[in-house]
């Protein structure tokens, strides 16, 4: 069974954007029983939601609920997406695949997999 993106249905913002942040991949598989991200870069150990609002002159959203984050990025015309939609040849039954995709979050391990990219959607979004 492939490993799809955790936010597969949220990869393309449906609001007008001026700023676009493009990451790599967030696996839908459980991350070794860690607290799951509620949205892009939402894991507690990640500082994206602390730094992003400060860039635009606001306060940290690191511990805010999802609706607060979504309202913020929509109001500030910010889009967030990732390059990869799906890891095609990963198997959830394969402990090596699970460890590769759910611990350390290193983009380097992705090179060994067959990747389904989001580039067509991203290009359309940029052109729009």
């Amino acid at each position: 069974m492939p490993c799809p993106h955790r936010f597969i249905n949220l990869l393309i913002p449906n609001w007008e954007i001026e700023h676009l942040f493009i990451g790599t991949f967030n696996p839908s598989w459980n991350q070794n029983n860690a607290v799951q991200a509620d949205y892009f870069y939402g894991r507690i150990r990640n500082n994206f939601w602390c730094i992003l609002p400060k860039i635009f002159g606001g306060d940290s959203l690191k511990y805010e609920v999802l609706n607060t984050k979504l309202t913020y990025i929509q109001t500030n015309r910010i889009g967030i997406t990732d390059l990869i939609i799906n890891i095609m040849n990963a198997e959830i039954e394969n402990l090596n695949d699970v460890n590769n995709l759910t611990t350390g979050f290193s983009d380097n391990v992705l090179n060994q997999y067959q990747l389904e990219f989001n580039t067509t959607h991203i290009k359309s979004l940029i052109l729009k």
Side-chain angles (χ1 to χ4, degrees):
M1 172 178 131
C3 181
H5 194 285
R6 178 171 302 282
F7 308 114
I8 191 85
N9 296 322
L10 301 171
L11 281 173
I12 299 300
N14 61 0
W15 55 89
E16 190 172 329
I17 63 171
E18 288 183 16
H19 311 279
L20 181 60
F21 291 83
I22 303 173
T24 308
F25 181 71
N26 192 325
S28 61
W29 297 348
N30 286 338
Q31 299 163 347
N32 294 328
N33 298 318
V35 174
Q36 302 300 314
D38 61 353
Y39 193 62
F40 294 89
Y41 311 106
R43 289 183 298 277
I44 295 301
R45 70 181 197 184
N46 191 306
N47 287 313
F48 179 82
W49 290 102
C50 176
I51 297 168
L52 175 73
K54 291 181 181 184
I55 292 170
F56 292 93
D59 295 324
S60 173
L61 297 173
K62 184 170 184 169
Y63 301 104
E64 295 294 335
V65 297
L66 177 59
N67 283 339
T68 301
K69 294 172 185 174
L70 290 174
T71 298
Y72 178 83
I73 61 175
Q74 289 173 18
T75 300
N76 289 283
R77 298 167 60 149
I78 298 168
I80 303 172
T81 192
D82 277 341
L83 289 173
I84 299 169
I85 295 172
N86 198 5
I87 308 293
M88 301 300 294
N89 60 333
E91 296 291 333
I92 198 164
E93 297 83 16
N94 182 321
L95 185 58
N96 191 45
D97 287 346
V98 172
N99 285 333
N100 281 343
L101 299 177
T102 64
T103 59
F105 308 104
S106 172
D107 291 344
N108 292 331
V109 301
L110 298 176
N111 293 327
Q112 63 188 310
Y113 292 98
Q114 179 185 0
L115 309 174
E116 180 182 356
F117 288 97
N118 190 27
T119 49
T120 301
H121 296 113
I122 293 171
K123 287 178 184 178
S124 296
L125 182 62
I126 291 169
L127 291 173
K128 185 173 110 180

